[in-house]
């Protein structure tokens, strides 16, 4: 019963994603300042297409080698736009608008890069949304420990 | 892995406002948000955020639900299981209509 249709691929650049879809993603990232968590881990100068495939973004290696794209100051600049937002505009949208048009041709962020960064930052609200609604893929696996881990009811003897 | 397999409940953020409010009032009165945060191993930055919202007069339980339910996208079933593990039986009762009936047996019959 799973539809075959997916709206985007992992290689689709974020600037090619419909404004309405970016807006839905942005409202998710507005919760608890998640956009800030995402922005603060974006690596500098990444080969976006090579990193788009599942597992293609080895975060520790990339961030360790080339460092981070945005400084605390640049993140504060986005924060500062909060008061100037018009109704219906979201601060995460400002952040994504900055990110999606940044960098050279091969550095432009893609849906695949976005998804892997969201998982790395444990922003599962947005990661689940991107996997299901952008890519028609199953939700990403959760770690077995920490705040993102699933909690389930223990099976009692009568269940067995 | 069996966890989540039987879970077709809604995300925590979709809980009706009235249920969420009752839950926040109940858990705020018990003052258990720190135990909840510790049990799910929230990072200290998130715990500090809840603390600062609390000191500004906001419901710490609501902030906990914003983070654990919002960012981590957990379901009402997971919240029910969390309450079960922490023996918060009245909290389980408050959300029982939003988990499958087959899980209601985990709520003790008698009042605590």
């Amino acid at each position: 019963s799973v539809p075959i249709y997916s709206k985007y691929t992992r290689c689709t650049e974020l600037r090619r994603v419909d404004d309405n879809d970016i807006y839905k993603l942005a409202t998710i990232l507005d919760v608890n300042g998640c956009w800030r968590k995402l922005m603060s881990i974006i690596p500098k100068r990444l080969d976006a297409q090579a990193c788009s495939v599942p597992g293609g973004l080895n975060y520790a290696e990339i961030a360790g080698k080339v460092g981070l794209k945005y400084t605390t100051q640049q993140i504060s600049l986005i924060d500062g736009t909060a008061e100037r937002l018009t109704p219906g505009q979201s601060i995460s949208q400002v952040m994504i608008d900055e990110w999606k048009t940044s960098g050279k041709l091969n550095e432009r962020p893609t849906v695949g890069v976005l998804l892997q960064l969201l998982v790395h930052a444990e922003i599962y609200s947005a990661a689940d949304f991107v996997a299901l609604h952008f890519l028609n893929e199953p939700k990403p696996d959760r770690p077995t420990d920490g705040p993102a881990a699933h909690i389930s009811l223990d099976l009692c003897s009568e269940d067995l | 892995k069996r966890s989540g397999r039987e879970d077709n409940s809604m995300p925590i953020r979709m809980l009706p406002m009235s249920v969420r409010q009752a839950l926040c009032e109940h858990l705020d009165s018990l003052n258990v948000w720190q135990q909840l945060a510790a049990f799910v191993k929230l990072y200290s930055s998130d715990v500090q955020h809840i603390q600062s919202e609390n000191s500004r007069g906001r419901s710490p339980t609501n902030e906990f639900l914003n983070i654990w339910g919002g960012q981590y996208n957990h379901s009402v079933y997971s919240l029910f299981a969390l309450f079960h593990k922490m023996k918060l039986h009245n909290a389980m009762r408050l959300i029982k209509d939003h988990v499958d009936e087959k899980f209601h047996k985990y709520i003790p019959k008698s009042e605590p």
Side-chain angles (χ1 to χ4, degrees):
Chain A
S1 67
V2 177
I4 304 157
Y5 174 74
S6 100
K7 203 162 178 187
Y8 310 106
T9 71
R10 283 178 173 252
C11 292
T12 307
E13 289 183 16
L14 289 186
R15 66 196 176 113
R16 304 288 179 212
V17 172
D18 287 352
D19 286 345
N20 192 36
D21 288 324
I22 291 289
Y23 178 73
K24 284 184 204 157
L25 171 69
T27 57
I28 296 169
L29 290 173
D30 281 343
V31 174
N32 193 31
C34 282
W35 66 270
R36 214 178 282 116
K37 297 182 188 187
L38 172 62
M39 192 177 184
S40 66
I41 63 149
I42 296 172
K44 210 163 33 180
R45 285 197 307 277
L46 95 180
D47 184 349
Q49 292 298 329
C51 292
S52 294
V53 296
L57 198 154
N58 182 341
Y59 189 83
E61 193 188 314
I62 291 167
K65 256 188 211 153
V66 299
L68 298 169
K69 186 177 175 80
Y70 294 105
T71 62
T72 312
Q73 227 175 0
Q74 287 169 306
I75 297 170
S76 303
L77 268 176
I78 304 281
D79 247 328
T81 64
E83 296 115 49
R84 297 199 298 274
L85 294 177
T86 53
Q89 229 187 345
S90 106
I91 190 151
S92 306
Q93 205 175 359
V94 176
M95 181 245 134
I96 296 170
D97 284 346
E98 149 59 36
W99 182 35
K100 74 182 185 185
T101 53
S102 70
K104 297 196 187 101
L105 196 63
N106 61 329
E107 298 170 1
R108 301 240 171 83
T110 60
V111 174
V113 164
L114 169 70
L115 177 58
Q116 291 172 86
L117 289 177
L118 288 171
V119 169
H120 182 77
E122 297 187 285
I123 307 171
Y124 282 94
S125 50
D128 290 350
F129 175 79
V130 168
L132 291 173
H133 296 280
F134 285 13
L135 297 169
N136 195 31
E137 288 182 16
K139 292 178 188 176
D141 287 337
R142 297 295 185 105
T144 51
D145 196 32
H150 286 302
I151 295 183
S152 57
L153 293 160
D154 307 312
L155 287 178
C156 296
S157 50
E158 72 240 46
D159 294 325
L160 301 172
Chain B
K1 204 164 152 265
R2 73 166 81 92
S3 76
R5 195 190 62 185
E6 302 176 279
D7 182 9
N8 53 11
S9 65
M10 63 172 74
I12 291 170
R13 65 171 184 278
M14 302 290 280
L15 268 178
M17 195 49 88
S18 59
V19 176
R20 184 159 170 140
Q21 266 168 2
L23 200 55
C24 288
E25 275 172 35
H26 174 60
L27 294 173
D28 286 348
S29 74
L30 294 177
N31 196 25
V32 288
W33 72 266
Q34 274 145 324
Q35 282 112 289
L36 289 167
F39 192 95
V40 303
K41 300 179 183 169
L42 280 196
Y43 298 111
S44 56
S45 57
D46 285 331
V47 174
Q48 279 160 22
H49 173 78
I50 300 175
Q51 184 72 70
S52 77
E53 291 297 299
N54 187 20
S55 63
R56 287 197 281 169
R58 301 228 177 90
S59 160
T61 302
N62 195 47
E63 287 308 315
F64 171 81
L65 294 175
N66 271 343
I67 294 171
W68 196 66
Q71 177 183 334
Y72 297 104
N73 205 23
H74 286 293
S75 67
V76 176
Y77 165 84
S78 281
L79 187 63
F80 189 78
L82 171 63
F83 291 158
H84 182 254
K85 286 180 193 295
M86 296 192 62
K87 298 190 166 56
L88 293 165
H89 299 141
N90 273 328
M92 293 174 82
R93 288 182 189 103
L94 287 170
I95 58 171
K96 75 171 170 46
D97 292 344
H98 303 281
V99 297
D100 197 297
E101 211 171 322
K102 68 182 177 226
F103 301 127
H104 291 182
K105 65 180 179 211
Y106 288 90
I107 308 173
K109 288 278 185 289
S110 58
E111 294 288 323

